[in-house]
Amino acid sequence: MENIKVIFWGLGVIGSEMARMTLDKEGLEIVGAIDKEKSKVGLKLSEYLNYGNSYIVINNNPIEILKSVEADIVILAIDSDSFVESIFPKIKLIIQNKINCIIISEEMIYPNSIESNLSKELDDLAKINNVTVLGTGINTGFMLNSLIMMLTASYKNIKSIRASRVTDLSGLGRTIIKSQGVGTTIQEFEKGTERGTIKGQIGFAQSISMIANTLGLRYDEIVESKEPIISNTYRETDTVIVHPGMVAGCNHIAIAYRNNKKIIALEHTQQIYPQCEGFETGDYIDIYGNGNLHLCITQDICSNIGTAAVAINMIPQVLSSKSGLKTMIDMQIPHVIENNFVDQLKYYLK
Amino acid sequence: MENIKVIFWGLGVIGSEMARMTLDKEGLEIVGAIDKEKSKVGLKLSEYLNYGNSYIVINNNPIEILKSVEADIVILAIDSDSFVESIFPKIKLIIQNKINCIIISEEMIYPNSIESNLSKELDDLAKINNVTVLGTGINTGFMLNSLIMMLTASYKNIKSIRASRVTDLSGLGRTIIKSQGVGTTIQEFEKGTERGTIKGQIGFAQSISMIANTLGLRYDEIVESKEPIISNTYRETDTVIVHPGMVAGCNHIAIAYRNNKKIIALEHTQQIYPQCEGFETGDYIDIYGNGNLHLCITQDICSNIGTAAVAINMIPQVLSSKSGLKTMIDMQIPHVIENNFVDQLKYYLK
């Protein structure tokens, strides 16, 4: 079997991380690179990435590349494009060119709960063209839904689930730091959440729908809130300064209620230097049912790298899956792939 | 769609737990019950279980039941039958009757690494008869392999994995307590491990093969050891007394080496009252690679109940899977099923 041929569409922070990972992996071959940014277009991929040995030239014309380049899968990684509605035309174009697709836009992790018509259209179109489309990532996509669901496997019955993720934004870029309201006043934070410029964790309520629907837990409503984390200390990064009394980040909470009881509660706390005030970064999951389970994970893999790895590691599964618009629920247990990706694909195709 | 029809073969501690769970779940229907023990044969299932409302009579003739009763799946749960070789004829009989099968025998979690000929025979036979066979459970099957594999999904590369599970045997039956050498002298423990009466975690080395093969981590050899946990304190349960200097349990270690470096190290420490000497029960996983991850899980679900739940929760996946001898690697992300099992099956069959 030949190498798996990959096109990258979107070479921002995460797309670039994925491209570097792909260059390192046996059985994967980059055959196309698309980005609209003028500073990138025309550069050889390895020149832009400052990594590896790829002579593929970055092109700004997706229609041309998708039509002319023979590929097995497109990795669609437009960092700023988190929403089903806005990413939809790009996915449609990929499907119409009969190429499989992995997307890291947050809402694509469980698109049906938020855009059922567009999801139906993508699913139908993917089936007609015999390709598979999967949304994945680390915050939405893995830690705060797939992992939670997996941990319930040893349960007979579940009463409630609580999970929180505490993230340190200090090392991340200006865009994400701004999107969590870091460095704003409380008034600015409130305006920002109203206007949608302060975003919290996009796709967060969808993670609840995904967990609840998959496990068969009924709920009456999902209530979301984005609260400012008001700093008591002075905090400073390369791109932002937070004085005491200012906002150090955003605490995004989503809760599913049934009969006014909390069935699933997710919390993502994103701020710069959480250690300043005694918060440890990590993932915390508590499951209550016929028994109680408490999980704690600490790790030093940042979200960008985690998202990049999850997406690339899913390639063989997407290529071997039934056609259609899929979610992580439809995939086999995800895992790192140290061996040849083609061997992994052969295993799944057996 | 009709209810999923289940036959239970083996109504020991775990089989009974599974039967009770099955009686509670919508979309599942028990249509047969097999056990060879005279005290059970002839009893109505609910009479024996002291639970629910099942009039199915426990029968000691598997050949007759499997032939005459129309069923979708057999749950094969012979507590004492942990090995591929000894459980093989029973699985074969089930397959020949064209019924799917879930088995909790520890070695069946990854049978190919230990009995490749028998595994090939089962796989071929299952494919011919268009049924699916899956081995699962909680110690082997979930915590010490599926969960570890899943946690690597956000990695680009793995250097090494260490995982340990600390179990409290105090509440468990005489058979399992004996199988871990609780209450023996050091000399008796050594003889017991030599003779195979002290068993440690059966299928433990297989969990390493499963992880390594799935992730594509090469190793030169797997070294196993079973060490006595020598008590410094007086410990007592209903069935055993341990004086200081005697054995309180077994520490089973399996390590995969490459170039004399530890690639995967698993440890299962099973003893009565580990708290006596400061050991907390729980699961601990450390993954080292392009980043480091440390996980800790504490829970109060005992292994028997966990195994029962994992097995029952896998029923819809087994019924919708491709035919053949499968492992947890081939299954979608496992999870609890709170809704109707038939609805879950329909989802997978889509």
Side-chain angles (χ1 to χ4, degrees), chain B residues 9-291:
Chain B
W9 186 350
L11 289 163
V13 177
I14 304 181
S16 298
E17 188 62 43
M18 290 194 278
R20 279 187 287 266
M21 179 173 168
T22 302
L23 290 172
D24 280 343
K25 290 288 181 183
E26 279 177 53
L28 297 180
E29 187 181 338
I30 301 179
V31 294
I34 304 166
D35 199 288
K36 66 175 183 184
E37 229 176 81
K38 279 185 188 165
S39 63
K40 301 175 192 171
V41 176
L43 291 179
K44 293 194 185 75
L45 186 59
S46 282
E47 199 176 4
Y48 164 63
L49 296 173
N50 199 16
Y51 195 82
N53 207 11
S54 169
Y55 294 94
I56 295 294
V57 175
I58 301 173
N59 191 303
N60 64 354
N61 189 337
I63 296 175
E64 185 191 307
I65 294 291
L66 296 174
K67 202 172 175 180
S68 63
V69 177
E70 197 193 312
D72 299 300
I73 193 158
V74 174
I75 308 293
L76 183 54
I78 315 286
D79 287 5
S80 57
D81 211 342
S82 305
F83 306 107
V84 177
E85 198 183 353
S86 53
I87 199 79
F88 174 83
K90 295 189 179 71
I91 303 174
K92 197 170 163 179
L93 183 66
I94 295 165
I95 298 175
Q96 285 169 330
N97 281 282
K98 298 187 189 301
I99 315 182
N100 300 284
C101 180
I102 289 176
I103 307 129
I104 60 161
S105 301
E106 288 91 333
E107 282 190 358
M108 284 303 297
I109 190 64
Y110 199 64
N112 188 48
S113 70
I114 211 158
E115 295 281 3
S116 60
N117 290 337
L118 295 183
S119 299
K120 175 83 169 62
E121 196 178 333
L122 289 179
D123 189 44
D124 290 344
L125 205 59
K127 282 173 177 155
I128 291 166
N129 286 283
N130 197 25
V131 294
T132 306
V133 175
L134 173 74
T136 195
I138 186 86
N139 289 336
T140 55
F142 190 73
M143 282 297 182
L144 284 173
N145 44 40
S146 299
L147 183 61
I148 293 172
M149 293 190 277
M150 172 109 172
L151 289 168
T152 68
S154 59
Y155 274 83
K156 296 199 282 184
N157 290 104
I158 298 283
K159 285 196 192 103
S160 66
I161 296 171
R162 266 190 355 201
S164 66
R165 182 171 172 86
V166 178
T167 307
D168 183 356
L169 299 173
S170 321
L172 300 180
R174 199 183 297 264
T175 312
I176 174 110
I177 280 188
K178 266 195 159 178
S179 76
Q180 303 307 318
V182 182
T184 61
T185 64
I186 299 175
Q187 292 73 21
E188 288 165 345
F189 185 93
E190 280 168 8
K191 272 187 197 158
T193 53
E194 270 169 35
R195 286 179 190 157
T197 52
I198 294 175
K199 298 181 160 92
Q201 174 65 56
I202 298 166
F204 209 41
Q206 285 173 281
S207 278
I208 289 197
S209 312
M210 188 179 186
I211 295 168
N213 294 348
T214 303
L215 273 43
L217 287 171
R218 284 177 303 104
Y219 61 90
D220 305 321
E221 58 166 350
I222 296 174
V223 178
E224 269 191 276
S225 63
K226 288 166 204 148
E227 292 165 11
I229 300 165
I230 297 158
S231 193
N232 295 311
T233 47
Y234 178 85
R235 314 187 197 184
E236 184 184 341
T237 76
D238 287 351
T239 58
V240 70
I241 287 174
V242 175
H243 291 281
M246 282 171 72
V247 174
C250 176
N251 191 20
H252 193 160
I253 300 169
I255 302 173
Y257 289 93
R258 182 169 71 224
N259 302 331
N260 299 316
K261 276 188 190 152
K262 292 179 184 177
I263 302 301
I264 304 175
L266 302 184
E267 194 172 332
H268 193 178
T269 303
Q270 302 191 69
Q271 62 190 299
I272 57 165
Y273 300 118
Q275 311 81 358
C276 282
E277 301 190 18
F279 292 102
E280 288 293 325
T281 58
D283 290 273
Y284 307 90
I285 301 173
D286 302 300
I287 302 178
Y288 303 95
N290 63 293

Side-chain angles (χ1 to χ4, degrees), chain B residues 281-335:
Chain B
T281 58
D283 290 273
Y284 307 90
I285 301 173
D286 302 300
I287 302 178
Y288 303 95
N290 63 293
N292 301 323
L293 176 151
H294 308 285
L295 167 143
C296 165
I297 294 179
T298 55
Q299 62 176 317
D300 57 7
I301 302 179
C302 86
S303 294
N304 287 345
I305 294 178
T307 290
V310 170
I312 298 302
N313 286 326
M314 295 309 290
I315 290 176
Q317 298 211 27
V318 169
L319 295 186
S320 58
S321 163
K322 285 187 213 171
S323 62
L325 175 61
K326 300 294 175 189
T327 73
M328 289 295 276
I329 306 159
D330 307 306
M331 298 289 123
Q332 287 117 315
I333 295 171
H335 57 80

